Amino acid sequence: MPQWSDYTTGERIKILRGREIRQADLAEMTGLSIVTIQKAEQDKALSLPTLLAIADALGVDTSVVLGQQAPRRALERGDRLMIRDLSRAVHDTAAGILPGDAEPVPLGDLELTTARCWDLYWKGQYIEAGAVVAPFLVAAATHLHERADGERASAWGVLSDAYRLAGYVANLMGARDLAYASIGHAQNAAERAADDMRVALVGSGRSWVYLRDARLPEALKLAEKSAADIEPRFSKASLEELTAYGSHVNFAAVVASRMGDKARAADFLSQSHATGARMGQEVRAHGTLFGPVSATTQAVGINVALGQTGKALTLIDSIRDVSTLTQAARNRYAMDKALAHADAKQWDKSLDTLEETLRADPDWARHQTLPGVIVQKIGRASTAQLRRVSELIGVAPGTQGFLPATAKTAL
């Protein structure tokens, strides 16, 4: 498979333009003539103003057009534009730069927007969520700016939520620098809000960024601290508090499993199951969902990561109903099932689950790295179904393509 730098600049423009944008469309988007676009794609002429106009219209850095940096896998033009707008919103609001015509939004409306963004996120609609978060950041920052010094705690809290959402979207889209920046701003806002729960939630979010950046020891240390900081007294804890704690200890178990630490993973899993049993139902709170079904389904992936395929398969057999999970959580569980079956060399079961999920929710699937990891595991089975699945995720059997993750860091 050719590397991005192996293509000519003109070929890279064609690839970035894709089938959805014709040359005439790109000419209209840039204000350039069709002849200019044709010459650029034929590598006949590309002036700096033309390069800048094309890069801006396609929503990428000039370095991507010039082949100095590869585009992120599976990103379409709309995805790239969303990331660019989100990046501008994160950096501008953090610098105190707000539009002159920005109007304050009541706190209640901002809290409703927070809930809407999380709803989109947990449905796996990451592009839509990111598109809402960008103006949400501006609105939250404007609201904060309008508050008096003694009335800013709640405003800082909402702004922390907005930055955390931006960080989650950026991390899933592979925009790691933006994820780090967003989580950093979220931490600052949570500390200014003097909200211990939000500080812990942001800490867990940073741990997730660390995990996807393969910084596993730091990820585990931070995940453990975040869980310990909000450990509730079970006899007095509310369902919302238990939801936050359960999701934290479960994630700590995930990170421990990626490090191969069976003892620590088992300890966190025990706490996760105990919390889920105490709750007795799935609950959404603080931008997350947790309960007994979440604890069990996520334990499947944890056991797979630890190489305990038999335990994972036993858990799969015990799970009957996942309808209470969010769409994204159900999809993720399906990936863990497919991975467990691949490790057990049950190729057909693995491919059946993988293909069914990819076809049922293609928008969610194209932003995931784990399907590609699963295909690599079963790459020896040269079947028509394997080729179909490979085409669905844009990875040729037996190749790594643009995959940025491994079985340890794909989450």
Side-chain angles (χ1 to χ4, degrees):
M1 177 179 288
Q3 298 297 310
W4 185 245
S5 57
D6 294 337
Y7 295 105
T8 68
T9 297
E11 289 171 336
R12 285 189 288 268
I13 293 173
K14 290 180 185 177
I15 294 171
L16 291 169
R17 176 164 60 80
R19 297 178 181 177
E20 59 186 286
I21 303 173
R22 300 170 302 172
Q23 287 184 336
D25 297 328
L26 185 56
E28 183 176 351
M29 292 160 57
T30 57
L32 302 170
S33 68
I34 293 182
V35 172
T36 300
I37 298 298
Q38 290 172 338
K39 286 183 177 180
E41 293 193 356
Q42 293 168 4
D43 293 301
K44 291 182 177 179
L46 181 64
S47 65
L48 179 58
T50 298
L51 169 64
L52 293 172
I54 289 175
D56 183 65
L58 295 176
V60 297
D61 292 338
T62 55
S63 61
V64 173
V65 179
L66 295 174
Q68 299 162 349
Q69 177 182 335
R72 297 182 182 94
R73 176 181 171 269
L75 291 194
E76 298 175 354
R77 176 176 174 270
D79 306 344
R80 297 192 297 267
L81 291 175
M82 182 278 289
I83 288 292
R84 185 185 65 181
D85 290 344
L86 185 60
S87 178
R88 289 175 177 175
V90 167
H91 295 304
D92 284 356
T93 55
I97 301 171
L98 300 174
D101 58 351
E103 296 184 1
V105 177
L107 181 63
D109 290 349
L110 292 174
E111 290 172 341
L112 288 174
T113 302
T114 302
R116 180 190 174 200
C117 288
W118 282 122
D119 186 54
L120 290 170
Y121 179 86
W122 287 112
K123 285 180 179 177
Q125 298 175 8
Y126 307 124
I127 304 304
E128 291 85 348
V132 175
V133 172
F136 175 34
L137 273 168
V138 174
T142 302
H143 175 82
L144 173 68
H145 180 72
E146 296 295 321
R147 301 277 73 75
D149 287 344
E151 303 173 353
R152 291 188 166 185
S154 296
W156 277 116
V158 171
L159 187 59
S160 175
D161 295 340
Y163 280 128
R164 183 160 66 100
L165 275 157
Y168 278 31
V169 171
N171 203 37
L172 262 172
M173 302 293 289
R176 202 73 68 236
D177 289 345
L178 179 58
Y180 273 118
S182 301
I183 286 295
H185 298 319
Q187 179 178 338
N188 175 62
E191 290 172 350
R192 286 177 174 249
D195 188 325
D196 292 341
M197 178 64 76
R198 280 190 168 98
V199 170
L201 289 165
V202 171
S204 184
R206 181 183 290 276
S207 177
W208 179 40
V209 178
Y210 284 168
L211 184 145
R212 292 194 64 147
D213 200 19
R215 297 171 61 177
L216 298 182
E218 295 152 285
L220 180 56
K221 181 178 180 180
L222 189 52
E224 288 179 315
K225 182 180 185 304
S226 297
D229 285 348
I230 60 169
E231 183 173 2
R233 291 187 177 182
F234 273 36
S235 60
K236 297 181 179 180
S238 66
L239 284 176
E240 289 75 15
E241 290 172 329
L242 291 172
T243 298
Y245 178 69
S247 63
H248 274 64
V249 293
N250 199 282
F251 182 71
V254 169
V255 182
S257 73
R258 300 308 195 264
M259 294 185 66
D261 192 330
K262 293 184 178 181
R264 289 165 95 178
D267 181 49
F268 285 125
L269 268 182
S270 176
Q271 296 176 57
S272 170
H273 285 302
T275 305
R278 174 74 179 180
M279 295 171 64
Q281 60 181 302
E282 298 296 305
V283 177
R284 294 182 66 170
H286 304 294
T288 188
L289 176 137
F290 189 76
V293 180
S294 294
T296 304
T297 55
Q298 292 182 37
V300 172
I302 291 168
N303 278 289
V304 170
L306 290 170
Q308 298 173 160
T309 306
K311 286 187 177 181
L313 294 175
T314 299
L315 282 171
I316 290 170
D317 288 340
S318 72
I319 296 171
R320 296 287 180 264
D321 183 10
V322 295
S323 62
T324 55
L325 299 180
T326 63
Q327 184 63 50
R330 291 197 296 270
N331 291 342
R332 172 59 203 222
Y333 170 57
M335 294 300 97
D336 287 335
K337 283 176 59 179
L339 189 58
H341 287 136
D343 282 348
K345 298 183 179 180
Q346 297 175 3
W347 311 128
D348 290 341
K349 282 188 176 181
S350 180
L351 287 171
D352 286 345
T353 300
L354 189 54
E355 183 172 13
E356 180 182 354
T357 306
L358 294 174
R359 291 192 183 281
D361 202 344
D363 285 340
W364 173 88
R366 67 190 182 87
H367 300 300
Q368 307 302 311
T369 55
L370 195 52
V373 174
I374 297 170
V375 166
Q376 303 311 310
K377 283 183 172 288
I378 56 181
R380 287 167 291 174
S382 179
T383 65
Q385 187 176 28
L386 178 58
R387 287 192 291 273
R388 289 199 306 271
V389 170
S390 298
E391 290 173 1
L392 285 172
I393 62 177
V395 177
T399 67
Q400 285 296 323
F402 293 118
L403 288 178
T406 67
K408 290 184 178 295
T409 60
L411 182 66

